[in-house]
Amino acid sequence: MLRVTISFLRNNARSLRLGILPKQLLNSLYSRKERGIADRKYFSVGQLFLFFAISLSVAGGCAGSSETVERPSTLPESMTPLRNDLTLNNLSFLNSSRDDFGSTMSLDTTLIFFTSANSRALGAHSIFWSRRTNAGWSTPELAVEINNSQSNGVPSILPGGQTMFFTGCDYGFGDCDLYRVESGVRGSVDQKTIPWTIPRNLGLRINSSYWDSQPCISADGSLMVFASDRPGGFGGRDIWITLRDQDGSWRPPINAGRYVNTVFDEMTPWIAPDNRTLYFASNGFPSIGGFDLYFVPIDPEVGYAPTALARNLGKPINSPSDDIALSISSDGSHTFLSSNRSGGKGGYDIYQLNLPPLTVDPVAIVRGQVKDQEGRPIFARVDVSDLRTGNIISRTQTVPETGEYAVVLRRDGNYGITAEGTGYLFNSRQIVVPAKLPENREYQLVHTLGGMDGWVRLLIFFASGGSALERESTVDLDRVVLFLQLNPDIQIEIGGHTDNTGTAENNLQLSQERADAVKAYLVGNRIPAKQITTKGYGQTKPIATNDTEKGREMNRRVELRVGGIQK
């Protein structure tokens, strides 16, 4: 087996920029030879290590060590998985004679972003995009607003295409940092482009003074994975994971652990749309070539820590060359990878797979629109919350010209989707996704926002026939708390309403008790009682028929009204 000095890797690290090793460096590190093809199942790395003696002798830490580490052997033919049902297609319309890699696709599959070192790049690498039209894919265009004269790349977008995470180098806290950019109001911006705003650094909670690169935001927006050479890892470059905190910000990253990371390099991580599989590239496990693509299962219910040893994805995904940057569209319909295998246009090329490597669980796709009471679209922020925990798991925004948005939700969830625009009251809607979905399911939502002197139906839940607030109510109640804290001079009324089930007298009492329960929560969170009045309306003000269950459900509600009592 080839022996590689850690100091050699460190000395070359600064030249690697976005983390894609130069071909000449790869050729100097790893030998390759062609191997035959046979049908094989996936073998775990744990099984492979039974057949390979991997000697690790690192003295005094990795940085600057003169000791050597033996790289794992090539994967033997007898243990190489083969997928005869998978085919790869070179996306020649995107690729150039130089490196092209790191692709991401919008939910509607009409827009693809990728990284390229082609002759039009502003720096060593830049982000480009192409749009699908009736005539096919358009000629790739430089994303001018995002790029600068340094290396920029490895984009990852939320399903609606309005928010992108990417890598930018030289101007941040470390060698490379992670950034977020959102689309803004189009104004005079050309119709064929996206009016991106100024990119924002994700800050020192995510970035470090080291190299941080190659972000992937999950389809539901609840977690992000990236590669970094910061301290606290296993050596070289490791995969790190960060989750959304309760308020929608990012928690400090944690290392993905020993099932994923080695003393060598792991990079280009990607989360499957169902949040149950982590894909990544590595040169630290027994492989077919230099960098191979691997996967590990992850469990959303236990914090997304990998739950089993990494497995090689086999052929034809991996080759005797270097294979990296596997990505899957948010609906699971399109899969891409990058490779410098023979037969390409030069450097790394982007390829499309006919199928995802592993089955992707169906997801819920929510397409919504935010408008005012006259039907005009609103440029709004959209938050997705897990009603069972109260945590914000995703944050995006609408298309300014249409008020539309799209989000992806995992199965077996109870979600609140809240739209909030400047100068308007917020509006929340509930989506309950069943545990079993035979296929992707689409939901349509419309949020109608009232003005600051208007009213809004709150997403409030009570025990059946009672006035005790349930846990799921806290998402909207906490928004009311914040609203009143920011507007201490505003007077509000909390109005309770019922359907016509039962007696009018009992319904009047129940509606008053429910309104009072909401006030008690607000006062318990330091909102002055004098700022809030309550009134129970019983069944006297229906907004739908009481002849159907749907209508009765709409009539059972709690409303917040600004500025006084209903007439």
Side-chain angles (χ1 to χ4, degrees):
M1 293 185 289
L2 184 66
R3 300 178 70 83
V4 183
T5 64
I6 294 295
S7 59
F8 177 76
L9 291 173
R10 288 293 185 186
N11 290 338
N12 283 276
R14 292 297 176 185
S15 69
L16 306 186
R17 311 308 297 144
L18 294 176
I20 308 304
L21 289 168
K23 188 173 183 180
Q24 62 269 28
L25 178 57
L26 285 169
N27 288 337
S28 71
L29 292 180
Y30 312 124
S31 62
R32 305 183 181 90
K33 64 179 181 178
E34 295 293 334
R35 285 170 285 276
I37 296 176
D39 288 298
R40 297 288 182 265
K41 68 174 183 178
Y42 289 123
F43 287 85
S44 73
V45 172
Q47 291 170 306
L48 296 174
F49 275 98
L50 295 176
F51 296 89
F52 297 98
I54 299 175
S55 173
L56 302 179
S57 53
V58 181
C62 291
S65 172
S66 61
E67 299 296 325
T68 61
V69 178
E70 290 187 349
R71 181 181 177 273
S73 277
T74 54
L75 194 62
E77 175 62 24
S78 61
M79 301 188 75
T80 300
L82 174 67
R83 290 286 301 275
N84 287 319
D85 57 332
L86 294 180
T87 58
L88 274 71
N89 176 42
N90 186 301
L91 299 185
S92 57
F93 61 90
L94 297 182
N95 295 317
S96 67
S97 60
R98 302 178 184 178
D99 288 337
D100 305 281
F101 59 94
S103 54
T104 182
M105 177 174 273
S106 61
L107 177 63
D108 64 8
T109 70
T110 65
L111 195 61
I112 188 169
F113 295 88
F114 65 101
T115 311
S116 181
N118 69 42
S119 60
R120 292 180 294 146
L122 297 181
H125 302 92
S126 290
I127 296 174
F128 289 77
W129 60 270
S130 177
R131 190 183 300 276
R132 190 201 305 268
T133 66
N134 292 335
W137 288 94
S138 65
T139 301
E141 299 282 348
L142 181 71
V144 177
E145 304 91 340
I146 299 175
N147 295 295
N148 58 21
S149 59
Q150 306 303 318
S151 286
N152 299 276
V154 200
S156 177
I157 57 174
L158 284 172
Q162 302 303 302
T163 304
M164 175 190 293
F165 295 82
F166 70 98
T167 306
C169 297
D170 285 339
Y171 292 118
F173 300 103
D175 187 33
C176 293
D177 280 7
L178 306 186
Y179 289 80
R180 171 184 176 133
V181 65
E182 295 177 315
S183 64
V185 178
R186 179 171 296 280
S188 60
V189 176
D190 192 295
Q191 287 290 325
K192 72 176 184 178
T193 66
I194 295 177
W196 296 111
T197 57
I198 297 174
R200 295 186 178 184
N201 190 295
L202 293 188
L204 280 172
R205 178 174 283 194
I206 299 299
N207 292 308
S208 68
S209 59
Y210 294 82
W211 177 88
D212 303 291
S213 186
Q214 304 166 353
C216 168
I217 183 76
S218 63
D220 70 351
S222 65
L223 77 154
M224 183 167 57
V225 291
F226 62 96
S228 178
D229 66 356
R230 66 182 64 194
F234 288 76
R237 292 168 172 174
D238 280 10
I239 306 301
W240 293 75
I241 301 173
T242 177
L243 303 175
R244 292 274 188 189
D245 215 338
Q246 184 173 0
D247 62 359
S249 63
W250 293 107
R251 299 178 188 175
I254 59 174
N255 190 280
R258 62 186 176 87
Y259 289 161
V260 172
N261 294 312
T262 69
V263 295
F264 292 90
D265 286 318
E266 283 67 48
M267 62 182 191
T268 61
W270 195 268
I271 299 291
D274 56 10
N275 287 15
R276 295 190 174 275
T277 307
L278 168 63
Y279 297 97
F280 64 98
S282 175
N283 63 3
F285 296 119
S287 64
I288 298 172
F291 277 90
D292 272 14
L293 286 160
Y294 299 82
F295 74 93
V296 290
I298 55 177
D299 188 351
E301 308 307 322
V302 294
Y304 293 102
T307 57
L309 293 170
R311 295 172 182 259
N312 191 296
L313 285 169
K315 298 178 179 180
I317 292 175
N318 292 312
S319 71
S321 297
D322 305 294
D323 305 286
I324 61 172
L326 187 142
S327 64
I328 304 175
S329 62
S330 297
D331 65 351
S333 64
H334 290 68
T335 303
F336 308 93
L337 62 84
S338 300
S339 177
N340 60 10
R341 66 186 64 193
S342 61
K345 296 183 70 172
Y348 283 94
D349 278 8
I350 299 172
Y351 292 81
Q352 183 172 1
L353 280 165
N354 62 320
L355 295 169
L358 301 172
T359 300
V360 177
D361 283 350
V363 295
I365 298 170
V366 181
R367 302 184 190 276
Q369 184 182 32
V370 184
K371 60 183 182 179
D372 65 17
Q373 292 178 332
E374 283 71 47
R376 295 172 296 203
I378 294 175
F379 184 33
R381 190 182 77 182
V382 178
D383 287 349
V384 180
S385 301
D386 184 338
L387 293 180
R388 293 176 296 192
T389 65
N391 292 346
I392 295 174
I393 61 173
S394 182
R395 178 165 284 166
T396 187
Q397 64 185 33
T398 62
V399 178
E401 290 74 28
T402 65
E404 296 174 343
Y405 70 87
V407 295
V408 169
L409 306 175
R410 292 189 297 114
R411 57 186 176 83
D412 193 22
N414 186 5
Y415 303 96
I417 302 180
T418 304
E420 192 168 8
T422 303
Y424 296 90
L425 296 173
F426 65 87
N427 176 266
S428 298
R429 302 290 302 276
Q430 181 188 23
I431 293 286
V432 178
V433 183
K436 294 184 178 180
L437 289 175
E439 58 187 7
N440 290 349
R441 179 177 297 181
E442 292 209 7
Y443 297 82
Q444 302 288 333
L445 288 182
V446 175
H447 304 260
T448 301
L449 304 192
M452 295 294 286
D453 58 350
W455 64 275
V456 60
R457 176 177 178 166
L458 300 177
L459 197 58
I460 302 291
F461 304 90
F462 297 95
S464 178
S467 58
L469 289 165
E470 296 193 333
R471 175 70 178 84
E472 292 82 356
S473 304
T474 59
V475 169
D476 252 22
L477 289 175
D478 288 344
R479 287 187 182 275
V480 177
V481 170
L482 180 60
F483 170 74
L484 294 175
Q485 288 173 340
L486 296 175
N487 299 277
D489 297 328
I490 281 182
Q491 297 290 317
I492 65 165
E493 178 207 84
I494 301 297
H497 301 265
T498 69
D499 58 25
N500 66 350
T501 304
T503 67
E505 181 180 1
N506 287 342
N507 286 336
L508 191 64
Q509 180 180 349
L510 177 61
S511 63
Q512 183 65 53
E513 290 173 351
R514 288 180 170 179
D516 290 341
V518 172
K519 179 177 180 177
Y521 183 94
L522 302 178
V523 172
N525 282 272
R526 300 186 176 182
I527 300 301
K530 64 181 181 181
Q531 202 173 349
I532 309 162
T533 61
T534 63
K535 184 173 178 60
Y537 292 92
Q539 63 193 49
T540 62
K541 292 186 177 295
I543 58 175
T545 178
N546 277 308
D547 295 334
T548 65
E549 179 52 40
K550 180 66 175 177
R552 290 190 291 271
E553 180 183 347
M554 294 176 64
N555 289 331
R556 298 189 295 268
R557 66 196 190 278
V558 173
E559 295 175 348
L560 179 154
R561 187 172 294 270
V562 176
I565 306 285
Q566 288 191 65
K567 302 299 183 181

